[in-house]
Amino acid sequence: MDNYYELQIKINPEIEDIVSEFCFENLPCEGVLLAEEAYKDLEMISTTEGTLKVFLTEEPQNLSQLLTQEREILKSRGLLDEELGSWEFVISNKPNEDWSKKWKEKWTVTKVSDRITVVPDWIDYAPQRDDEVIIKLEPGCAFGTGTHQTTQLCMKAIEKYMPQNALVADIGMGSGILAICAKKFGASFVYGCDNDETVIDVAKENAVKNNAECSFELNTTDKITDKFDFVLANILHNVLAEIMGDLKNIMNSSAIMVLSGILDEKKPVVLEAIKKHNLELIEEAHQDQWTALIVRKVD
């Protein structure tokens, strides 16, 4: 390819994964890169802006319309203007300077905890300890690369709370990283579903790559009839609140569930749904501006 298009979008860096997912699904996108130097203090959510660089193989005809529609959808789901960023954009034609390599330079080995390590496909990595859980992924191919705080909170919760030989459900599994992590920590059966059909094959490929037997399908929580000992739901706060009853319905007695994808200031929305459905809160875990809520089914 002689040339490529570089799309730069002004966003709140907190929603990098959400915007990246949209770009992979709706644009001729081959990679994304967050200009990390554009922000230093993540605590200033209302004033922090980042620039998401999106590498495209061609220029979309209706780009402005697509971005405007997606931003309005996210606003309708409860995200505020300052949480989204402006979404002002510029697009330019660039000569090919091995941009795929440039994109890959962002990704390094991610140490999620002392035991959990996420390794990009192209990096050779030697285990640092006998009981290390290593997950190999091609970052960017689907939502959930292991570097985002919401994903890391879930992985740490798997390590801390998941019983051995548990029946596990990963709702909105994206790349399948959490399902794979659960299997590697000793789950006897792992089921993952997503309402986006484009991620199913990616998740299956990642599971094979990691020698982790998981069952993935296109589905939504309200249609699941099986019950599980451990449930993972790393989704937007408003969706968690909407489907809390369906999530509870797939939990076995005394099952534990990890709810993530929650910006700190949106935590009350999810806590209210937890209380409404009589789930017991056993821990609030925090990383930067993000919260994960770990709950238990008590009835």
Side-chain angles (χ1 to χ4, degrees), residues 137-184:
L137 286 181
E138 169 114 9
C141 54
F143 189 47
T145 60
T147 60
H148 199 268
Q149 297 95 324
T150 59
T151 311
Q152 293 193 25
L153 284 166
C154 288
M155 296 171 87
K156 290 172 187 174
I158 291 170
E159 181 179 3
K160 184 173 181 179
Y161 289 104
M162 190 192 78
Q164 281 295 300
N165 301 311
L167 304 174
V168 176
D170 182 7
I171 307 303
M173 86 278 173
S175 67
I177 184 170
L178 298 180
I180 293 164
C181 183
K183 188 65 180 177
K184 292 201 169 200

Side-chain angles (χ1 to χ4, degrees), residues 109-151:
V109 173
T110 300
K111 295 291 292 182
V112 177
S113 74
D114 288 343
R115 279 192 68 190
I116 306 171
T117 308
V118 180
V119 182
D121 242 4
W122 54 87
I123 293 178
D124 288 326
Y125 176 79
Q128 307 295 301
R129 50 188 286 173
D130 293 340
D131 62 349
E132 190 169 3
V133 169
I134 298 169
I135 301 171
K136 297 278 283 188
L137 286 181
E138 169 114 9
C141 54
F143 189 47
T145 60
T147 60
H148 199 268
Q149 297 95 324
T150 59
T151 311

Side-chain angles (χ1 to χ4, degrees), residues 6-293:
E6 182 181 283
L7 169 64
Q8 295 190 23
I9 314 173
K10 288 283 190 182
I11 63 165
N12 184 327
E14 295 292 352
I15 62 159
E16 173 197 8
D17 273 4
I18 296 171
V19 184
S20 298
E21 180 185 27
F22 165 78
C23 292
F24 279 111
E25 289 177 12
N26 297 279
L27 303 177
C29 173
E30 293 291 338
V32 296
L33 182 68
L34 185 68
E36 294 174 353
E37 70 279 2
Y39 66 98
K40 299 296 182 187
D41 186 0
L42 284 179
E43 294 190 10
M44 297 179 64
I45 286 181
S46 61
T47 58
T48 298
E49 278 196 329
T51 302
L52 188 71
K53 291 183 180 179
V54 185
F55 301 109
L56 306 173
T57 55
E58 59 187 73
E59 183 174 3
Q61 295 299 309
N62 54 343
L63 180 59
S64 180
Q65 181 184 353
L66 284 170
L67 290 171
T68 301
Q69 286 175 347
E70 179 64 13
R71 195 174 185 279
E72 287 304 311
I73 288 169
L74 291 172
K75 284 183 71 173
S76 73
R77 291 176 178 171
L79 287 170
L80 304 175
D81 281 325
E82 59 264 32
E83 292 165 347
L84 292 165
S86 70
W87 288 40
E88 294 173 2
F89 72 90
V90 292
I91 187 166
S92 51
N93 192 312
K94 300 273 187 178
N96 184 8
E97 297 170 345
D98 200 359
W99 57 270
S100 60
K101 181 182 176 184
K102 186 178 175 183
W103 165 64
K104 286 181 176 182
E105 283 172 359
K106 175 190 172 182
W107 302 102
T108 58
V109 173
T110 300
K111 295 291 292 182
V112 177
S113 74
D114 288 343
R115 279 192 68 190
I116 306 171
T117 308
V118 180
V119 182
D121 242 4
W122 54 87
I123 293 178
D124 288 326
Y125 176 79
Q128 307 295 301
R129 50 188 286 173
D130 293 340
D131 62 349
E132 190 169 3
V133 169
I134 298 169
I135 301 171
K136 297 278 283 188
L137 286 181
E138 169 114 9
C141 54
F143 189 47
T145 60
T147 60
H148 199 268
Q149 297 95 324
T150 59
T151 311
Q152 293 193 25
L153 284 166
C154 288
M155 296 171 87
K156 290 172 187 174
I158 291 170
E159 181 179 3
K160 184 173 181 179
Y161 289 104
M162 190 192 78
Q164 281 295 300
N165 301 311
L167 304 174
V168 176
D170 182 7
I171 307 303
M173 86 278 173
S175 67
I177 184 170
L178 298 180
I180 293 164
C181 183
K183 188 65 180 177
K184 292 201 169 200
F185 267 101
S188 62
F189 175 76
V190 181
Y191 169 81
C193 69
D194 205 294
N195 61 5
D196 173 13
E197 63 182 338
T198 64
V199 304
I200 308 299
D201 287 341
V202 170
K204 288 179 177 177
E205 288 168 13
N206 282 330
V208 170
K209 192 179 298 178
N210 286 276
N211 196 27
E213 188 179 340
C214 301
S215 174
F216 295 129
E217 68 174 355
L218 185 69
N219 204 0
T220 52
T221 323
D222 56 319
K223 295 183 178 67
I224 299 172
T225 55
D226 294 330
K227 293 193 182 294
F228 301 88
D229 308 312
F230 194 81
V231 177
L232 296 150
N234 184 14
I235 317 173
L236 284 171
H237 67 278
N238 57 295
V239 179
L240 290 174
E242 286 169 16
I243 68 171
M244 194 68 69
D246 295 326
L247 290 169
K248 182 181 177 180
N249 286 340
I250 68 170
M251 296 172 76
N252 278 325
S253 180
S254 299
I256 288 175
M257 176 162 61
V258 184
L259 304 163
S260 190
I262 309 163
L263 278 165
D264 286 347
E265 61 265 36
K266 298 298 184 181
K267 182 176 67 175
V269 176
V270 185
L271 285 173
E272 186 178 332
I274 288 169
K275 184 178 179 181
K276 176 183 173 184
H277 291 282
N278 196 32
L279 292 162
E280 177 193 3
L281 180 65
I282 54 179
E283 188 189 346
E284 284 188 23
H286 300 275
Q287 191 167 333
D288 297 327
Q289 307 308 306
W290 299 91
T291 297
L293 303 171

